[in-house]
Amino acid sequence: MPDGPRRRCWPEVLAAAERTAAALADAGIGRGRSVGTLLWNEHAHLDLALAAPMAGAALHPANPRLSDADLEWTIRAAGDRIVVFDAEFETRVRDLAARLPEVERWIRVGDGTFGESWAAFVEGAPSSFDAPSIDENDPMAICFTSGTTGHPKEVVYTHRSSYVHTLGLALTDTMHLSGTDTALAVVPIFHAISWGLPYAAAMLGSRLVLPHRRTAPEDLLDLIDSESVTVAVGVPVVWAGVMQAVLRDPRRWRCRHLRRVVCGGGAPNLEMIEFFRVKFGAELIHSWGMTEINPVGTMGRHAATPEEAALEPVEAQAIALKAGRPLPMLEVEIVDEAGSVLPHDDEAAGSLVVRGPTVRGGFAADDPESLPGGWMRTGDVASIDDRGRVTIRDREKDLIRSGSEWISSLALERLIGAMPEVALVAVVARPDPKWEERPVAVVELARGASLDLETLRTRLAATLPKWQLPDDLLVREIPLTGTGKMDKRALRESLA
Ligand code: ADP
């Protein structure tokens, strides 16, 4: 918390959550209603993540990194009648409140002048709470994708979907979360409820570390050390930053207890995987997912079969780069443009489709993502190997069309990202009069490093055909999306 660490044990959290549920119910936030939040990863947010579903209502963790217009739109679309906000956002919330008369109560966590006090809201609640009867298909959360075109898309999580997802996270060959773990939730609760980590930690009794707004690499490393974190969960941009911080100051942190780093929402590169293995003895578990599937889809423990356990580290690297196998309740398949299933030979790349209880329901027949048989198009291109491991090749919209061929931006990012000079890289398409599109590498350099286009192209030419090499190298800051991923759409637009 801004005024220093605050610790609670799970029974205290449960009591607080029950009290919060009673407060919500008292305020009319029960079945069919939602409570919005504008909070970092902190105690009140955890209480609400547990309390809203207890009260039969849905949590809508709004993303403070969205534009004002999108934030207003998501709160209205979710139908929130109460919004709980961090005092830090007070000025913004004043404006929002003026534009959102349908929100009846604004409740402030922390000191300020606008809205009601969170402490008073919870303290004024009845001390006993009678949980309503809840159907497993009732909503328990409303999340929004960041929306690459137009408005963010609303995704409803049901109790059933989240229950199944929570069990999936705790499996040995997925995240291997246990009651012995101390889990650091870097991924925000407003990003698909911290990928379900608060629920899995609550189910198992794992220690859960919530970094509030302090997610700079140095702050995270300090937390990993001071709280003896065993498993840390976040997007690749976060882990790239952590890696650079350690490279700049190699003796400052020991990360002595760190065993697993879950890296999802984007693709890690080999250098990152090796860095965590060699420097801290930690396994970087590569995960693929999307908001629409609650959100974890696949996880790639390095060794989930006897055959994998017997591999030498170098052979295991190829597996670590893959996004792993689907959680047990999720089916994955790859299909061509006609919808025919492609072979699982690690080579054939097709449109990745998914089906199962965690996939968002309620498709309209004309929903562009809906396919016959209950399958949902993910918008990603993938291949699958003969052991069921998925490799994400690219997002359909990030592929670069050069002449009549496709170039994978992810494949280029993997290779460039593994170069020691590079801290972060995004490869995006630039319109080209002759080829339609050509790849451009946008790079943030490691401190003190330099890199020119010719060196980059020469190194890449060792593994890639010439037509796939970037035409340009731009050294500049890479913008991030509301969920802390590289904003390749913004980059593309800036190059167009
Ligand atoms: P957004 O689409 O706004 O980023 P999500 O957080 O739901 O919102 O992101 C889902 C998308 O992120 C996936 O469809 C995929 O394109 C990308 N993604 C997630 N995990 C991975 C991964 N391990 N490798 C590559 N891309 C990934």
Side-chain angles (χ1 to χ4, degrees), residues 133-196:
S133 135
I134 293 165
D135 187 276
E136 65 173 350
N137 291 311
D138 280 350
M140 53 78 71
I142 301 169
C143 296
F144 287 81
T145 65
S146 35
T148 41
T149 49
H151 286 305
K153 188 165 65 192
E154 180 175 343
V155 182
V156 172
Y157 293 177
T158 63
H159 282 263
R160 181 170 197 257
S161 162
S162 296
Y163 189 88
V164 172
H165 184 265
T166 303
L167 294 178
L169 288 191
L171 296 172
T172 308
D173 292 330
T174 59
M175 202 188 282
H176 195 179
L177 198 65
S178 134
T180 64
D181 274 314
T182 297
L184 172 64
V186 184
V187 52
I189 291 177
F190 58 74
H191 189 186
I193 324 190
S194 200
W195 302 346

Side-chain angles (χ1 to χ4, degrees), residues 178-483:
S178 134
T180 64
D181 274 314
T182 297
L184 172 64
V186 184
V187 52
I189 291 177
F190 58 74
H191 189 186
I193 324 190
S194 200
W195 302 346
L197 192 59
Y199 298 126
M203 177 180 80
L204 296 163
S206 322
R207 288 179 83 220
L208 180 64
V209 182
L210 303 173
H212 201 270
R213 66 189 314 274
R214 300 188 53 188
T215 51
E218 291 78 6
D219 292 331
L220 295 176
L221 282 155
D222 286 347
L223 265 180
I224 291 173
D225 270 354
S226 64
E227 299 302 324
S228 306
V229 167
T230 61
V231 48
V233 183
V235 294
V237 171
V238 164
W239 303 128
V242 162
M243 185 173 119
Q244 291 303 322
V246 175
L247 291 174
R248 284 195 297 270
D249 204 346
R251 282 191 229 287
R252 183 160 154 205
W253 300 280
R254 296 185 63 198
C255 301
R256 215 156 52 84
H257 299 271
L258 191 64
R259 291 290 167 271
R260 277 155 287 133
V261 172
V262 178
C263 178
N269 59 51
L270 205 50
E271 199 200 15
M272 194 188 282
I273 295 170
E274 279 303 281
F275 169 80
F276 281 101
R277 185 177 74 83
V278 173
K279 177 84 185 163
F280 297 126
E283 174 182 353
L284 187 137
I285 303 179
H286 181 179
S287 174
W288 166 86
M290 59 195 303
T291 305
E292 289 89 333
I293 62 172
N294 202 334
V296 177
T298 67
M299 280 216 179
R301 293 293 317 262
H302 296 191
T305 65
E307 172 200 21
E308 288 166 1
L311 293 176
E312 295 296 323
V314 177
E315 296 170 303
Q317 289 175 350
I319 292 178
L321 270 176
K322 296 184 177 181
R325 298 181 176 84
L327 267 59
M329 67 287 171
L330 193 74
E331 287 177 84
V332 300
E333 198 44 276
I334 42 171
V335 298
D336 64 15
E337 276 170 23
S340 305
V341 172
L342 293 167
H344 294 186
D345 59 6
D346 213 16
E347 287 288 322
S351 174
L352 182 68
V353 299
V354 290
R355 148 171 106 171
T358 57
V359 176
R360 83 180 169 100
F363 289 131
D366 59 353
D367 189 312
E369 286 152 10
S370 169
L371 293 172
W375 292 96
M376 184 191 83
R377 280 171 65 95
T378 62
D380 290 328
V381 178
S383 54
I384 302 179
D385 70 17
D386 61 356
R387 293 290 186 270
R389 292 172 294 225
V390 176
T391 299
I392 304 296
R393 301 279 175 189
D394 215 343
R395 284 187 196 233
E396 277 164 10
K397 51 188 177 291
D398 287 346
L399 279 170
I400 299 158
R401 181 145 183 100
S402 176
S404 56
E405 299 289 340
W406 293 100
I407 299 173
S408 159
S409 67
L410 264 190
L412 279 167
E413 283 165 15
R414 277 215 175 101
L415 292 168
I416 300 170
M419 297 179 186
E421 297 88 348
V422 175
L424 199 63
V425 54
V427 173
V428 290
R430 183 165 65 190
D432 185 276
K434 181 162 176 212
W435 300 106
E436 198 172 333
E437 291 180 342
R438 289 292 303 152
V440 171
V442 184
V443 162
E444 286 182 18
L445 292 173
R447 190 181 286 176
S450 63
L451 186 66
D452 59 50
L453 179 64
E454 208 181 311
T455 313
L456 179 86
R457 285 174 57 96
T458 311
R459 287 195 209 154
L460 291 173
T463 39
L464 292 177
K466 198 159 164 252
W467 61 271
Q468 291 194 7
L469 307 183
D471 277 8
D472 216 342
L473 168 67
L474 306 175
V475 177
R476 63 156 94 148
E477 199 178 330
I478 297 174
L480 301 181
T481 68
T483 51

